[in-house]
Amino acid sequence: MIVEAEKFSIRLRRPFRIAHGTSTTRDTLLVHLRDGDHTAHGEGALPPYYPSTAEAGLDWLKIVPAEGDIPDAPPMAAAARVAWEIAHQDLHAQRAGLPLWKMWGLDPSNLPPCPTTLSIPETEAELQEALAEAFADGTALLKLKSGSGDLAWDERCATMVEATGRPFSVDANAGWSPAEAARIIPVLARLGVEFVEQPTGRDPAAWHELRGLLAANPTPPLVADESLQTREDLRALAGVADGVNIKILKAGGLTAAREWVTLARSLGLRVMIGVMVETGIGRSAAAQLAPLADWLDIDPPTSIPVDPLCGFEMSKGRLQLSHRPGLGLKSVP
């Protein structure tokens, strides 16, 4: 088996602005396995707020055996281990001649819609331009990044998105304090928001404080993302969050992500399957989990480029899984 790895740069079509900061490019780590007639691929995203680096990952991959059990990796190389595991899942399904989702016995006939994510706009004109692009792509659902630190602006943006008549959700990326979140969530509820993602800080104590401030007031579902970093966090979030955003990178691979879904369900939590800023390889891996989700957050190709490879298509905000073996990856024109 031939193993190749590379750092790959994703060039975003417009600045991606969230509460953590702004990006125009994102690096990611790709692994390619060549075994006879099969070529398999994996990806480990490298968000700037995570400890993994491409250099540490590439060094770790040089000492890992080509086959067999995947050893643990230090935090600096965690993304490489994820890419390695995804590539082996792809290869295993290719050898079986089945799409990975079918090998797992999943049914993709009734998937939730995928939203088009709108990063935090700096002006109303920028928001209107992003909305026009989303509508031109036929999106059925919008997700507005919020948590800018200016609650009046956050509310203004949410009102503008609500005026489009399209269903929408809001993701604050931990940008609000519990008190700020308790003020804006009732506003979002009146606007008909579908759910609010990570409305407050990562610590479970912030969630408990927020629930206390909201008291018995009805709220849209509140979904944890940044607060979910380990398997143990699922238990800490049960009872304060309504759902969790499970991502392959956070879980440590596809196998672990499936286990997280099962545990989340047993704890009464609803499940979102999400992605980092990734190529079509990582997003195609996440798409294999789509039949297990209540919500999806897998960026469409028109939002974030999928090159060099992709194994899904998107039509009017609906994910369509490939029937090709493995992750179903093919070259992007």
Side-chain angles (χ1 to χ4, degrees):
M1 183 185 299
I2 299 173
V3 181
E4 300 172 348
E6 61 175 315
K7 182 172 79 170
F8 185 86
S9 184
I10 303 169
R11 301 191 179 279
L12 305 176
R13 293 192 172 97
R14 60 169 63 242
F16 188 68
R17 194 177 299 110
I18 62 175
H20 298 307
T22 303
S23 301
T24 55
T25 63
R26 283 285 184 90
D27 289 335
T28 191
L29 192 63
L30 304 182
V31 168
H32 315 288
L33 304 180
R34 308 189 191 281
D35 182 39
D37 294 333
H38 302 300
T39 301
H41 308 273
E43 178 172 2
L46 298 168
Y49 41 88
Y50 274 49
S52 290
T53 67
E55 293 71 21
L58 292 170
D59 287 343
W60 181 82
L61 288 165
K62 293 174 183 176
I63 63 172
V64 177
E67 296 196 70
D69 293 337
I70 307 172
D72 291 334
M76 297 289 283
R81 189 186 187 282
V82 170
W84 183 255
E85 194 260 4
I86 291 172
H88 277 78
Q89 294 272 9
D90 185 19
L91 181 61
H92 182 49
Q94 286 187 42
R95 287 170 171 168
L98 294 171
L100 186 54
W101 58 264
K102 191 168 187 177
M103 193 173 74
W104 287 344
L106 302 180
D107 179 7
S109 61
N110 189 28
L111 301 181
C114 284
T116 294
T117 299
L118 310 175
S119 70
I120 298 174
E122 291 190 321
T123 65
E124 290 192 12
E126 182 181 328
L127 177 56
Q128 293 291 4
E129 182 181 348
L131 288 169
E133 287 182 5
F135 297 154
D137 294 334
T139 188
L141 187 64
L142 299 165
K143 176 187 263 191
L144 176 64
K145 292 289 187 178
S146 196
S148 64
D150 182 347
L151 284 185
W153 178 237
D154 288 341
E155 291 180 24
R156 172 65 177 149
C157 291
T159 301
M160 290 172 63
V161 174
E162 185 271 340
T164 67
R166 304 289 177 96
F168 77 107
S169 60
V170 168
D171 184 0
N173 286 115
W176 298 327
S177 69
E180 290 170 328
R183 184 189 121 187
I184 197 169
I185 286 173
V187 174
L188 297 174
R190 290 195 295 273
L191 294 175
V193 69
E194 301 270 304
F195 61 82
V196 182
E197 190 173 347
Q198 197 61 43
T200 191
R202 173 176 169 176
D203 193 319
W207 283 85
H208 284 279
E209 182 180 350
L210 173 59
R211 285 297 186 183
L213 291 170
L214 290 169
N217 294 326
T219 68
L222 304 183
V223 180
D225 182 0
E226 282 85 347
S227 294
L228 175 60
Q229 298 294 327
T230 69
R231 182 186 180 93
E232 290 70 31
D233 290 333
L234 287 166
R235 299 187 187 280
L237 290 164
V240 287
D242 299 298
V244 287
N245 188 342
I246 294 176
K247 299 177 181 179
I248 297 171
L249 182 69
K250 295 192 296 184
L254 274 165
T255 300
R258 289 181 67 197
E259 293 171 352
W260 282 25
V261 171
T262 300
L263 179 56
R265 295 288 188 201
S266 73
L267 294 169
L269 292 162
R270 297 170 72 181
V271 171
M272 178 187 299
I273 297 297
V275 296
M276 303 293 185
V277 178
E278 301 175 45
T279 74
I281 298 172
R283 280 140 74 188
S284 297
Q288 308 305 305
L289 299 167
L292 302 174
D294 298 294
W295 303 289
L296 291 177
D297 190 16
I298 298 175
D299 299 297
T302 51
S303 176
I304 294 177
V306 292
D307 54 303
L309 299 163
C310 189
F312 67 89
E313 295 181 357
M314 200 83 73
S315 176
K316 296 182 178 178
R318 291 284 177 176
L319 184 69
Q320 298 175 344
L321 294 181
S322 172
H323 287 260
R324 292 184 296 275
L327 299 181
L329 298 168
K330 64 179 181 179
S331 296
V332 177

